[in-house]
Amino acid sequence: MTKWVYTFDEVSEAEALVGDWENVRGLLGGKGANLADMTRLGVPVPPGFTITTVACNAYTDAGGVVPEGMWDQVRSALDSVEEKTGKKFGDPKNPLLLSCRSGAKFSMPGMMDTVLDIGLNHEVAAELAITSGDEFFAYDSYRRLIQMFGSVVLGNPDEPYEEILDEFRDRYGVATDAELPAEALKEIVERFLEITPRFPSDPDEQLKLAVEAVFKSWTGKRAVDYRNASNIPHDLGTAVNVQTMVFGNLGENCLTGVAMSRHGATGENHIEGDYLFNAQGEDVVAGIRATLHLEDMETDMPSAYNELLAIADRLEKHYRDMQDMEFTVENGKLWLLQTRDGKRTAQAAVRIAVEMAEEGLISKEEAVMRVTPDQIDFFLHPQFTNEDRKGAKDEGKLLAEGLNVSPGAAVGVVAFDADTAVEWAEEGKKVILVRPETKPDDVHGMLAAQGIVTSRGGRTSHAALVARQFGKPAVVGIAELDIDLAGRKMAVEDRVINEGEFVSIEGTFGEVFVGELPTVVPDINDRWLSSLLEWADEYRRLRVLANADYPVDANRALDYGAQGIGLCRTEHMFFEAERLPTVQKMILAETTEDRQEALDVLMPMQRGDFQGLFEAMSGKPVIIRMIDPPLHEFLPAVEELEAEKAAAEAAGDGAAVAEVDRKLGRIDDLHEENPMLGFRGVRLGILMPEIPRMQAQAIIEAACNAKENGFDPKPEIMIPLSVHVAELEKVKAVIVDVAEEVMAARGVKVDYQVGTMVETPRAALTAGELAKEAEFFSFGTNDLTQTTYALSRDDAEKSFLIEYVEQGILPVNPFATLDPNGVGGLIKIAVETGRAARPGMEIGICGEHGGDPESVATCHELGLDYVSCSPFRVPVARLAAAHAALNDAG
Ligand code: ADP
Ligand code: MG
Ligand code: MG
């Protein structure tokens, strides 16, 4: 006979049956497993029992039929509870009242709400009024039962009940239900019964219906939607916990509250929480009355407080994590009603993990594993402080809540369409883009905005995906937000926000506030974050370098823990306003001499930049990529030249007109239909060897200068976009010639290497040949993804790519997360054949994948030596690399 029901003191039996604690949680649900576990630990928990998730699944599978033998087992479990409490379910003289609570393996909104005070009817309530000596209590509990049963079990709307309560508060001229006299409650009970004709007066019937309602709620729409959105399997089922009621509403020596063993926002090792005297159930979280701070309980009710403190400490030691507890004090006696690992902010997660390791409660490895790379990322985003959020809520500034799909805080004026967002952003305004939902047409506005808000859409909506991808805070799916695009305004109930007014959004919590909240950026040198990242460094195998083009970026990268520069894009130096005309002159030159003239001007500028990088990164590799982008990116706009020509014509300057014509002709020559697949990368160096020559000279002279200044430069010269070894042979020879020349002339020796980027399938497939010339490889995974998928990143993200992800054709955007099979497969071949040809060669990736945790794990598996990412992502990559190594080891 299957055991469908476990009393709270049968947890060891359950464990023996299913093996380990994870499975016990699967069988009894998280809430039930912990209630039973606390009972075993000797923590005061009101007696009760759990109907298993297996029973729920059997019920669902049978199309809504309770499995055979289950009610009998419930009856014997009830017998045992009656014996422990000395009370009897349904007995008016000495009634046992019960709560019925849902509880799946993972805590899950959408499951059935708790029904309290089961077992009351006219007779029982009347007796309870006498035995408790508190008529108000008896009828208040009874009316709560009818109301909860009506709305939760029978699915009645809540409003009619609230309207009746309103009516009575008005009639008696009181502000809260707690101030109503007992006779009023008696009358309310009758009125509630009138609108709840199906309320069963038989306690057994109440319990059965409540249990079945919990089973049914597992397949209810809310629960199914939530599981779909959060990737929770549908076959877990929910358990049902039936538990003896304890009363926090039985007078002034009673209270109910919630507590966290450590501070959920800051992580400080001090219990925090709220409570209410003479209250029941969710009164504390419902915010009907102002709650009291837990510290006050120390004076209000010292012995219960001290016991709670001791229990919190024991539970933390037992679960080895911060606990979130629900408790009730009935006539001075403390009862625990729930405990679970507490939710926390990113900062709190870091501090708690580090302090628990320092306390010896968990190991350093566990501490590192307890913080997610995303949390580190969040650490480095602007945020609202918890005080400010709370303050704003107290002032009634919370406009609405939605799905928290992309973390971080953002403040700006509301814009209702993408073009307005872009226009205002260009004027220097900070903008929040608000749309019913977003489409590919809106992407330019999303990029220009600080944050994104939508009234429709879920966790995988276009808005959510794009926001996460670009690191924009976003709150989506705010159903109550009424957007009037034509009227350029939005409203929640009667609160109206016009376009151009400020809102503040908090993507971590899914909140939208009216007005401007101040933001703060947490400190990277925070003591706990520093410790955690240092520990992560002990475990990781991948090195983490940074993409940095200027000495200031290099210094920031060092601050964030970068071990060198994995990609310096020299063309960024070319784009600087005062250099661009010279660069254009170089490109538009038609003779080598003319080109050389321009290069001679650029050389010392580049040399200065490089020297700064070498000095900042002394002793660490600095990988410098030869100029790469398609040439057209540097060229002046044709309209501009045409205007210039018109001016020259008007002035009658024939020579100037001819020069503009020459330039226009040259631009025409250089025009390409497909510049991304055109004259770029190493191809430029092949046809214009004076460019790599100039760059090599700048690099080696800069290294000589740095060395003479007492630094230890480690230049690595990287040739982009090679597809054939012959390209490398040719350009490498140019570089080596210059390097030897410079070093001989200067009488200084620097260690340098020449390597290549691997960015095309052909390069990857012939890596063994490339490695004969290249001393190192770096995978340019943006281009490698483009060339592997045959899609242009710039265009695809605007059109079909996001749609592909929404439809599930691609699991993720391959430009955000490295494709482990396709692109990863090419990398694998290149690593193996490259290392076979040149044992021990350094291989890494550069490009934004290097800062994406999942991609970092892929790089670890592929056996790369390093990842390189933007300086801000370096801490994320450090932790992700440690996770990959620890997962590998474990
Ligand atoms: P949730 O999963 O929404 O937290 P719970 O099952 O924990 O729902 O129940 C909500 C609240 O109901 C609890 O925090 C507690 O205050 C109250 N409650 C539940 N069971 C009991 C009980 N046996 N005695 C007193 N209060 C209870
Ligand atoms: Mg609830
Ligand atoms: Mg709870």
Side-chain angles (χ1 to χ4, degrees):
M1 181 79 211
T2 313
K3 190 163 165 60
W4 308 110
V5 179
Y6 289 82
T7 61
F8 291 166
D9 37 29
E10 290 177 326
V11 66
S12 302
E13 234 174 90
E15 212 165 9
L17 183 76
V18 294
D20 65 2
W21 188 245
E22 257 323 276
N23 293 339
V24 176
R25 286 171 45 91
L27 181 71
L28 302 179
K31 196 183 289 170
N34 281 6
L35 283 168
D37 201 25
M38 285 197 285
T39 306
R40 175 163 68 179
L41 286 172
V43 171
V45 171
F49 55 87
T50 303
I51 306 174
T52 66
T53 56
V54 180
C56 170
N57 286 334
Y59 178 88
T60 309
D61 292 345
V65 181
V66 167
E68 207 188 308
M70 191 191 95
W71 289 133
D72 294 339
Q73 293 183 22
V74 166
R75 186 59 250 176
S76 17
L78 256 184
D79 289 344
S80 124
V81 171
E82 286 174 347
E83 197 179 310
K84 280 198 196 80
T85 56
K87 296 177 180 174
K88 270 194 135 29
F89 188 55
D91 175 3
K93 293 282 171 225
N94 182 22
L96 173 68
L97 300 188
L98 299 171
S99 70
C100 177
R101 321 168 64 185
S102 58
K105 180 166 182 181
F106 307 107
S107 98
M108 229 182 78
M111 293 307 305
M112 198 194 79
D113 284 336
T114 301
V115 179
L116 303 177
D117 306 317
I118 293 174
L120 282 168
N121 54 28
H122 271 63
E123 221 186 330
V124 177
E127 284 292 336
L128 187 63
I130 298 165
T131 50
S132 68
D134 189 340
E135 204 175 18
F136 176 89
F137 159 72
Y139 286 95
D140 184 50
S141 302
Y142 190 17
R143 75 88 192 159
R144 283 175 192 256
L145 171 64
I146 303 165
Q147 185 174 359
M148 281 186 266
F149 200 93
S151 68
V152 175
V153 179
L154 303 174
N156 297 343
D158 225 20
E159 291 75 33
Y161 298 98
E162 292 302 329
E163 276 161 24
I164 291 173
L165 288 170
D166 268 352
E167 181 191 321
F168 275 82
R169 282 193 298 262
D170 277 356
R171 186 189 306 170
Y172 287 86
V174 297
T176 65
D177 302 334
E179 297 160 85
L180 291 170
E183 338 57 280
L185 269 308
K186 277 187 178 171
E187 246 186 286
I188 291 171
V189 162
E190 296 307 329
R191 294 281 297 280
F192 276 12
L193 284 173
E194 278 167 30
I195 59 170
T196 321
R198 285 159 61 213
F199 177 78
S201 61
D202 174 10
D204 282 331
E205 202 52 29
Q206 292 169 8
L207 181 61
K208 284 184 175 171
L209 288 174
V211 168
E212 284 195 53
V214 174
F215 284 166
K216 283 182 197 142
S217 72
W218 179 256
T219 45
K221 186 176 175 339
R222 271 204 305 164
V224 172
D225 286 350
Y226 182 82
R227 291 198 294 273
N228 282 337
S230 25
N231 278 327
I232 296 177
H234 292 292
D235 60 0
L236 294 176
T238 178
V240 188
N241 302 293
V242 177
Q243 187 177 26
T244 307
M245 284 298 300
V246 288
F247 299 102
N249 56 341
L250 200 49
E252 287 311 312
N253 201 17
C254 302
L255 55 84
T256 186
V258 292
M260 297 258 222
S261 62
R262 302 194 185 207
H263 202 289
T266 64
E268 193 188 339
N269 186 2
H270 190 279
I271 195 164
E272 58 146 355
D274 304 288
Y275 67 100
L276 272 176
F277 278 110
N278 203 1
Q280 189 179 55
E282 314 243 45
D283 293 359
V284 178
V285 274
I288 303 165
R289 283 191 267 153
T291 56
L292 304 169
H293 288 297
L294 194 65
E295 298 94 80
D296 300 340
M297 196 177 143
E298 186 170 8
T299 34
D300 286 345
M301 224 185 256
S303 79
Y305 177 80
N306 287 324
E307 193 182 354
L308 179 67
L309 226 56
I311 288 172
D313 195 49
R314 265 186 78 191
L315 291 177
E316 262 206 356
K317 295 217 161 75
H318 179 69
Y319 293 108
R320 306 169 69 246
D321 203 351
M322 176 248 237
Q323 293 300 296
D324 174 353
M325 296 157 292
E326 296 175 0
F327 63 92
T328 282
V329 176
E330 177 182 318
N331 289 326
K333 161 112 182 90
L334 176 73
W335 296 96
L336 268 283
L337 292 173
Q338 189 169 340
T339 193
R340 62 184 153 194
D341 296 346
K343 293 231 185 334
R344 64 207 77 180
T345 62
Q347 277 109 311
V350 171
R351 177 164 175 179
I352 289 170
V354 169
E355 288 190 341
M356 284 192 166
E358 287 170 350
E359 289 158 24
L361 196 56
I362 59 176
S363 67
K364 286 202 286 185
E365 286 94 328
E366 281 176 292
V368 166
M369 289 304 285
R370 281 205 185 167
V371 178
T372 64
D374 286 344
Q375 285 174 315
I376 298 293
D377 183 35
F378 178 61
F379 218 105
L380 305 169
H381 272 95
Q383 296 162 37
F384 303 136
T385 66
N386 257 53
E387 290 71 51
D388 287 332
R389 281 177 54 232
K390 190 168 182 313
K393 285 185 187 172
D394 291 346
E395 289 167 37
K397 286 191 183 159
L398 180 64
L399 178 70
E401 286 178 274
L403 293 172
N404 52 338
V405 293
S406 185
V411 181
V413 294
V414 171
F416 287 114
D417 66 78
D419 292 338
T420 308
V422 169
E423 190 184 310
W424 287 357
E426 278 167 1
E427 288 167 18
K429 288 186 194 161
K430 291 191 185 315
V431 180
I432 303 289
L433 179 67
V434 178
R435 299 284 299 165
E437 63 200 340
T438 63
K439 297 204 178 64
D441 292 351
D442 298 317
V443 170
H444 60 298
M446 300 171 80
L447 290 177
Q450 303 294 311
I452 295 143
V453 170
T454 71
S455 57
R456 293 202 287 265
R459 283 180 193 280
T460 55
S461 61
H462 180 268
L465 293 171
V466 174
R468 273 201 296 278
Q469 152 131 34
F470 295 111
K472 303 273 177 191
V475 181
V476 306
I478 310 175
E480 56 191 331
L481 185 66
D482 199 354
I483 301 176
D484 174 4
L485 291 177
R488 313 305 286 179
K489 58 182 196 239
M490 62 182 183
V492 172
E493 285 163 6
D494 48 10
R495 193 146 179 194
V496 179
I497 309 274
N498 292 303
E499 185 160 48
E501 287 178 0
F502 270 100
V503 293
S504 301
I505 73 170
E506 173 43 277
T508 312
F509 300 98
E511 297 161 341
V512 180
F513 297 94
V514 295
E516 287 173 88
L517 262 62
T519 56
V520 293
V521 179
D523 182 7
I524 177 82
N525 294 316
D526 173 274
R527 121 149 162 75
W528 296 282
L529 183 62
S530 304
S531 300
L532 189 87
L533 289 173
E534 276 166 31
W535 297 347
D537 293 345
E538 291 172 24
Y539 303 122
R540 67 188 159 90
R541 203 206 63 227
L542 283 170
R543 282 183 292 128
V544 178
L545 312 189
N547 300 346
D549 306 326
Y550 299 101
V552 291
D553 300 329
N555 284 320
R556 169 172 306 122
L558 279 176
D559 254 9
Y560 282 23
Q563 295 163 284
I565 293 179
L567 177 63
C568 164
R569 299 173 172 92
T570 51
E571 60 276 8
H572 284 189
M573 301 170 168
F574 282 179
F575 276 124
E576 297 219 331
E578 70 273 22
R579 301 181 187 179
L580 195 56
T582 318
V583 174
Q584 290 172 347
K585 199 170 148 208
M586 168 191 92
I587 295 168
L588 296 173
E590 267 156 286
T591 64
T592 309
E593 295 78 63
D594 284 354
R595 188 168 306 117
Q596 191 60 51
E597 210 173 280
L599 288 168
D600 288 344
V601 178
L602 290 173
M603 202 285 287
M605 297 176 176
Q606 289 235 296
R607 185 179 57 204
D609 292 336
F610 294 146
Q611 186 177 335
L613 289 180
F614 294 141
E615 295 187 352
M617 284 284 166
S618 183
K620 299 186 170 70
V622 175
I623 303 179
I624 299 170
R625 178 176 71 183
M626 298 265 141
I627 185 171
D628 179 35
L631 280 187
H632 77 278
E633 289 185 17
F634 293 115
L635 295 177
V638 171
E639 301 82 72
E640 229 170 80
L641 288 175
E642 264 154 9
E644 213 178 287
K645 183 175 166 184
E649 277 168 349
D653 184 345
V657 174
E659 174 59 9
V660 177
D661 275 337
R662 187 191 71 77
K663 285 185 187 169
L664 284 167
R666 180 83 179 130
I667 289 177
D668 200 41
D669 291 346
L670 290 171
H671 173 79
E672 293 173 312
E673 293 301 335
N674 243 324
M676 279 313 257
L677 300 175
F679 189 42
R680 53 175 293 212
V682 67
R683 298 160 195 176
L684 250 107
I686 299 281
L687 297 195
M688 304 176 184
E690 49 282 3
I691 298 179
R693 198 174 296 133
M694 178 281 276
Q695 291 200 294
Q697 186 186 351
I699 292 168
I700 301 297
E701 286 190 6
C704 291
N705 292 348
K707 197 149 184 186
E708 282 176 351
N709 288 347
F711 296 95
D712 178 15
K714 294 202 174 308
E716 300 189 15
I717 302 173
M718 183 155 75
I719 300 168
L721 207 79
S722 48
V723 294
H724 198 287
V725 66
E727 294 170 314
L728 284 184
E729 275 165 23
K730 201 156 174 206
V731 176
K732 186 179 172 188
V734 171
I735 294 168
V736 170
D737 272 358
V738 178
E740 297 305 321
E741 230 170 76
V742 170
M743 290 192 295
R746 294 286 296 264
V748 180
K749 171 117 190 64
V750 288
D751 290 326
Y752 71 96
Q753 293 190 6
V754 181
T756 189
M757 291 189 80
V758 176
E759 306 176 82
T760 63
R762 189 180 195 285
L765 294 170
T766 61
E769 288 167 35
L770 298 189
K772 290 189 191 126
E773 291 293 324
E775 294 168 281
F776 64 87
F777 283 163
S778 174
F779 293 96
T781 48
N782 290 341
D783 268 313
L784 189 55
T785 303
Q786 291 198 109
T787 53
T788 301
Y789 277 77
L791 54 79
S792 144
R793 167 189 188 153
D794 300 333
D795 299 323
E797 276 174 355
K798 274 186 281 181
S799 53
F800 63 92
L801 193 53
I802 300 292
E803 183 70 23
Y804 261 45
V805 178
E806 265 182 66
Q807 288 194 19
I809 292 169
L810 290 176
V812 287
N813 178 346
F815 291 106
T817 301
L818 189 64
D819 160 31
N821 304 326
V823 180
L826 286 168
I827 293 178
K828 188 159 183 275
I829 292 170
V831 169
E832 283 168 9
T833 55
R835 287 217 179 109
R838 187 184 287 273
M841 78 186 298
E842 288 279 300
I843 305 182
I845 72 160
C846 55
E848 283 313 300
H849 288 120
D852 167 64
E854 262 180 74
S855 310
V856 170
T858 305
C859 292
H860 174 91
E861 278 159 35
L862 288 167
L864 302 190
D865 296 303
Y866 68 86
V867 296
S868 186
C869 56
S870 78
F872 286 109
R873 301 292 295 185
V874 165
V876 177
R878 287 163 71 191
L879 186 66
H883 278 208
L886 288 170
N887 282 330
D888 209 4

